[in-house]
Amino acid sequence: MPLPPEESQIHESAQGPRATPAAGRTAPTPRPVPGPRSTASPRPGSPGPARPAPPARTNAPAATPSAPQNRSQPQIQSIPAPADGALDAAEEAVDLLLDSGRAPGDVLVLTTGERHPWATHELTFGEAAYWAQHDAGDDVFHADAGAVDRAATRPVVVVALNGGADDTAARVLPEALKKATALLIVCGDPQRINAVLGVTV
């Protein structure tokens, strides 16, 4: 006779823990995650709620058209400097760019008058070696006005109006503007820069 009550107690004890989940039959549903945890953890439930995101995507295309326009028009900065100080001003501008985190390969320096000393030195090793450094694109590259057509586009172009004929600036600045994808810095006479580029900087 005591055996049946023990068995009943065993069954009750076995049913005891089961009774709580059985009473909360909702407990097995949270374990699979689709139920209440879908709201608690957005990752599994994100497919459903993520559908409201398409309105944001409709806004994204609206912003994208303006982005290409900004890319086609780089920012223009002017650093006032006399012809004999334009090269030094350009060097300071490059140093500031590099100090601010700009990669050396992002920068092209053009001169309208005397060549930059780096370019003069590198050309002693020959044109092929000089332009090989340009093509590598891993360092600041210096070129004179005569090489502006051959130089590739770079995010930043720095122009030093350090002399040369009047028509040299008129030819180099528009080309430099085309070569720069993000920023054009011109070191020289601001009035001359404005007259050539047709902008106030």
Side-chain angles (χ1 to χ4, degrees), residues 67-147:
Q69 292 174 358
N70 292 340
R71 290 176 186 170
S72 63
Q73 285 294 339
Q75 291 182 348
I76 302 173
Q77 292 181 5
S78 172
I79 300 177
D84 59 357
L87 196 56
D88 290 337
E91 283 299 299
E92 290 177 13
V94 170
D95 289 342
L96 288 172
L97 288 166
L98 300 179
D99 290 344
S100 69
R102 179 66 72 175
D106 288 353
V107 183
L108 170 67
V109 180
L110 299 171
T111 56
T112 59
E114 187 178 338
R115 274 196 187 113
H116 188 280
W118 179 90
T120 303
H121 176 263
E122 293 301 320
L123 281 168
T124 61
F125 299 102
E127 289 271 343
Y130 172 74
W131 285 105
Q133 292 187 9
H134 167 271
D135 297 339
D138 55 5
D139 202 356
V140 178
F141 190 78
H142 300 79
D144 61 14

Side-chain angles (χ1 to χ4, degrees), residues 14-61:
Q15 291 175 355
R18 289 181 186 173
T20 54
R25 288 181 183 174
T26 56
T29 53
R31 289 178 187 172
V33 176
R37 289 189 187 176
S38 64
T39 56
S41 59
R43 291 178 187 169
S46 62
R51 291 179 185 171
R57 292 177 184 171
T58 57
N59 294 342

